[in-house]
Amino acid sequence: MNRAERAADTPPGDGPAGASRGVPEAMTAAATADIRAIVDLAPALISFFDRDHVCRYANAHHLDWYGRSPETLIGLHMRDFLGEAAYATRRPYLDQVLAGVPQAFDAQVPHADGGLRDAAIRYVPRNGPDGVDGFYI
């Protein structure tokens, strides 16, 4: 199955916050499915990690880049798929993003072909009710 087929087959998740403001549930489910399809089709690695650096969401492009489906990455610590050395170099950026400061840097990232690829990386904090609860990549 290619990325477009996977994206079209993506089941909707929990509806966005609009569902509680009178937006029909079917519309929020459709919007959620559309957003997931768009994110899966983007030629970029898009993910969300919690405060403990555990992957909670990964788009379909991770299959092309890492050779692993998003489902196999969810629940893994960042160290488990970057490797200890790469993870160690990211720690200063991780500390800063969890302090609420967006981060932008270039790094080499492991690729499914066994080599390394240069990547422009952005960490963007997500604010929850109790402060930063994770970050988007």
Side-chain angles (χ1 to χ4, degrees):
M1 183 182 300
N2 67 35
R3 273 198 305 165
E5 291 166 332
R6 284 192 310 273
D9 193 39
T10 301
D14 295 332
S20 64
R21 292 190 293 258
V23 177
E25 190 173 324
M27 289 177 66
T28 59
T32 299
D34 285 345
I35 291 168
R36 286 179 187 243
I38 291 165
V39 171
D40 278 343
L41 291 169
L45 298 170
I46 300 171
S47 54
F48 175 75
F49 285 78
D50 66 19
R51 289 195 61 79
D52 297 321
H53 309 166
V54 175
C55 182
R56 299 298 176 197
Y57 175 82
N59 72 336
H61 194 61
H62 285 76
L63 182 61
D64 298 333
W65 191 280
Y66 290 110
R68 298 172 72 178
S69 71
E71 297 80 15
T72 64
L73 298 174
I74 294 170
L76 287 182
H77 193 277
M78 184 182 282
R79 170 187 329 101
D80 296 332
F81 59 92
L82 285 181
E84 188 63 48
Y87 176 72
T89 65
R90 307 262 178 105
R91 283 306 303 250
Y93 303 109
L94 295 168
D95 293 342
Q96 286 296 304
V97 74
L98 291 175
V101 181
Q103 299 294 297
F105 60 98
D106 295 324
Q108 290 194 319
V109 179
H111 191 267
D113 65 11
L116 296 172
R117 299 266 178 103
D118 293 325
I121 300 171
R122 306 292 176 265
Y123 291 166
V124 180
R126 182 178 85 174
N127 290 311
D130 298 320
V132 176
D133 63 0
F135 58 97
Y136 300 101
I137 300 177

